[in-house]
Amino acid sequence: MGSVEEAAVSYRRVLAWSPATGDAHCNLGLIENAAHHMARAVALSPENPPMLGNLGALAGSQRLLKRALALGPGEAGIHLSLGNQRRSEGNFESASVAYRRARDCGRPGGF
């Protein structure tokens, strides 16, 4: 298994060869905590809930997280990110709701 640095090098190679590869921008953005890669990934795949959610979490944007949830209401990670954002703002009740929704994703009768 390779290292995170090796993965980043691989994603950069993919992007040098094919700059319009949204998944490579998304993954490199996650590795490097780089909003510009995440924004490029979203520009290439604007209807992709996980990519929108990753950018929203990285940018601290509830607007993007809510947009991602509108497109993918069953994405537990996006609910979790929204809960984290709300908790960081001191909105504990709303954060708790988001955490419960994240927990319930994938359960029978859940999202």
Side-chain angles (χ1 to χ4, degrees), residues 44-82:
L44 292 166
S45 300
E47 303 297 312
N48 185 305
M51 286 184 190
L52 278 167
N54 287 335
L55 179 59
L58 188 60
S61 170
Q62 285 192 41
R63 182 186 61 80
L64 287 174
L65 291 168
K66 289 177 183 178
R67 184 172 155 216
L69 284 172
L71 294 168
E75 296 285 343
I78 301 170
H79 287 286
L80 181 64
S81 293
L82 184 60

Side-chain angles (χ1 to χ4, degrees), residues 7-77:
V9 168
S10 295
Y11 289 127
R12 283 191 205 94
R13 285 183 186 146
V14 168
L15 291 172
W17 180 66
S18 180
T21 306
D23 287 336
H25 278 288
C26 182
N27 292 334
L28 188 57
L30 291 172
I31 289 171
E32 296 181 344
N33 202 28
H36 67 279
H37 282 294
M38 293 305 304
R40 181 71 177 132
V42 168
L44 292 166
S45 300
E47 303 297 312
N48 185 305
M51 286 184 190
L52 278 167
N54 287 335
L55 179 59
L58 188 60
S61 170
Q62 285 192 41
R63 182 186 61 80
L64 287 174
L65 291 168
K66 289 177 183 178
R67 184 172 155 216
L69 284 172
L71 294 168
E75 296 285 343

